[in-house]
Amino acid sequence: TSRCSSWVYKRESCQHPLDHQKKEVNLPDCVNERQVQVRTLYLSMDPYMRCRMNEDTGKNTNFTKGDFVTSFYWPWQTTVILDGNILEKVDPQLVDGHLSYFLEAIGMPGLTYLIGVQEKSHITAGSNQTMVVSGAAGACGSLAGQIGRLLGCSKVVGICGTPEKCLFLTSELGFNAAINYKEGNVAEQLHKLCPAGVDVYLNNVGGDISDTVISQMNQNSHIILCGQISQYNKDVPYPPLHPAIEAIQKERNITRERFLVLNYKDKFEFGILQLSQWFKEGKLKIKETRINGLENMGAAFQSMMTGGNIGKQIVCISGDTSL
């Protein structure tokens, strides 16, 4: 393998966490058969993880030039040498060539909510159940509501932060209704939209919004705890419920479990095929907010964490997939 240059996006410890410098460095050669050299096409912005989409060009005998791979463990670089054991091949046909979709609906976010809803929501088609999704216009929330509807929920209500996002949920994704938490009284709006109460709550944000939803949940209902974005700047990212809300939870026998998709690896293959099928049939809609350039990673992350994106926040590093 010839030596080549790579742009590295490096955070300096003396700077603000989202301030970075872009440096050019020389990559070493692959030194053993486990390593592969890969080029970054897209980088994923998530509160909870980073998946990566890349092109493989290395020595590892499990890969050939032209393979597309993903990994959790990817630095913010244009080109990098990684251990092939942490890479996973993906098939572009599953996404009709839209490679960035492996970082969202046909990847870990999609799997998280497909398996989470299947395992924890206790949805039964035809049972007239109501689902509420917070953070509903983001990468995960937008998928969660669609999956809940596809699996049999009679009513899906999303909570988000702008009129544009509310319209997106109801006009494009099939949500029955949406609440802008920045306008009006959320508790009153929720009661009006869900007069029979809430059966399943996809909790992506935590905080006051979650307290409001939980207070209107039914007996023996279910909370799927997949994120607490409003709490991530605190020392305890998954803080306990307020005592009054905890009392409601116990009194109504509401389950509240943190869901970790990595505990269900045996379901990944079937899950990806199901998500791909829904996508190809037009049943699962995918939305991206894109920004170009490695130098904009910090800005993209900050925008994602403050609700600046609709759907998945993607950073395009190299849109050229040619070999």
Side-chain angles (χ1 to χ4, degrees):
T1 304
S2 61
R3 189 178 299 273
C4 67
S5 297
S6 171
W7 285 105
V8 180
Y9 201 45
K10 179 181 180 182
R11 189 181 75 181
E12 300 296 340
S13 60
C14 61
Q15 295 177 317
H16 184 278
L18 292 177
D19 291 336
H20 296 75
Q21 292 182 346
K22 188 176 178 183
K23 297 176 63 178
E24 186 174 10
V25 299
N26 288 323
L27 284 180
D29 292 334
C30 295
V31 296
N32 59 54
E33 64 181 13
R34 293 172 54 186
Q35 292 184 324
V36 293
Q37 180 183 309
V38 286
R39 178 166 60 88
T40 306
L41 302 180
Y42 303 100
L43 293 177
S44 170
M45 293 286 99
D46 298 289
Y48 62 95
M49 62 162 282
R50 298 184 184 94
C51 273
R52 299 296 185 252
M53 173 53 53
N54 306 275
E55 178 182 349
D56 168 63
T57 59
K59 291 181 177 179
N60 190 297
T61 56
N62 294 323
F63 301 96
T64 58
K65 185 176 181 179
D67 285 345
F68 294 98
V69 297
T70 65
S71 175
F72 281 117
Y73 309 102
W74 206 280
W76 289 1
Q77 296 182 214
T78 58
T79 310
V80 65
I81 292 174
L82 293 175
D83 188 327
N85 291 333
I86 68 171
L87 302 178
E88 181 181 354
K89 285 185 188 180
V90 293
D91 181 0
Q93 293 185 0
L94 292 174
V95 292
D96 288 344
H98 299 283
L99 295 175
S100 61
Y101 289 2
F102 284 117
L103 303 182
E104 45 191 302
I106 322 299
M108 198 57 66
L111 282 173
T112 297
Y113 282 92
L114 174 61
I115 299 172
V117 172
Q118 287 175 329
E119 295 292 322
K120 301 296 184 180
S121 69
H122 302 275
I123 292 173
T124 302
S127 296
N128 200 32
Q129 292 166 295
T130 295
M131 171 187 284
V132 172
V133 182
S134 58
C140 291
S142 62
L143 298 175
Q146 294 183 82
I147 290 170
R149 177 173 49 80
L150 287 166
L151 292 180
C153 264
S154 301
K155 179 182 289 185
V156 179
V157 176
I159 302 175
C160 53
T162 69
E164 179 188 9
K165 291 179 178 180
C166 288
L167 181 62
F168 166 67
L169 295 178
T170 56
S171 65
E172 296 188 38
L173 300 191
F175 281 62
N176 298 92
I179 296 171
N180 181 354
Y181 70 87
K182 296 179 181 178
E183 295 181 355
N185 185 298
V186 174
E188 291 179 358
Q189 295 179 71
L190 187 62
H191 180 69
K192 182 178 180 180
L193 292 169
C194 308
V198 177
D199 300 297
V200 182
Y201 175 38
L202 272 292
N203 182 2
N204 290 308
V205 299
D208 292 342
I209 289 176
S210 286
D211 291 349
T212 298
V213 177
I214 294 170
S215 68
Q216 298 190 34
M217 294 187 72
N218 293 323
Q219 190 77 21
N220 301 317
S221 53
H222 306 281
I223 301 169
I224 305 176
L225 189 62
C226 288
Q228 299 271 273
I229 195 170
S230 72
Q231 309 297 305
Y232 284 168
N233 287 331
K234 299 182 179 181
D235 292 336
V236 183
Y238 285 87
L241 294 173
H242 185 278
I245 301 301
E246 185 176 14
I248 291 174
Q249 179 204 352
K250 291 180 178 179
E251 179 183 346
R252 299 180 190 173
N253 193 35
I254 301 170
T255 64
R256 179 179 182 261
E257 300 179 75
R258 184 179 179 186
F259 174 74
L260 298 175
V261 71
L262 294 179
N263 292 336
Y264 296 86
K265 291 183 179 180
D266 60 315
K267 299 182 184 295
F268 281 13
E269 183 177 0
F270 175 79
I272 289 294
L273 293 175
Q274 176 65 83
L275 293 163
S276 173
Q277 179 182 338
W278 282 338
F279 160 65
K280 291 186 175 186
E281 292 173 349
K283 296 177 180 178
L284 188 66
K285 305 295 177 62
I286 301 173
K287 176 74 172 179
E288 294 180 334
T289 297
R290 290 191 170 209
I291 189 169
N292 294 320
L294 193 66
E295 67 276 10
N296 292 314
M297 290 289 291
F301 186 84
Q302 185 174 39
S303 176
M304 179 269 303
M305 290 296 290
T306 55
N309 58 300
I310 296 180
K312 178 71 174 183
Q313 178 72 63
I314 291 288
V315 179
C316 303
I317 307 302
S318 173
D320 180 13
T321 61
S322 60
L323 304 180

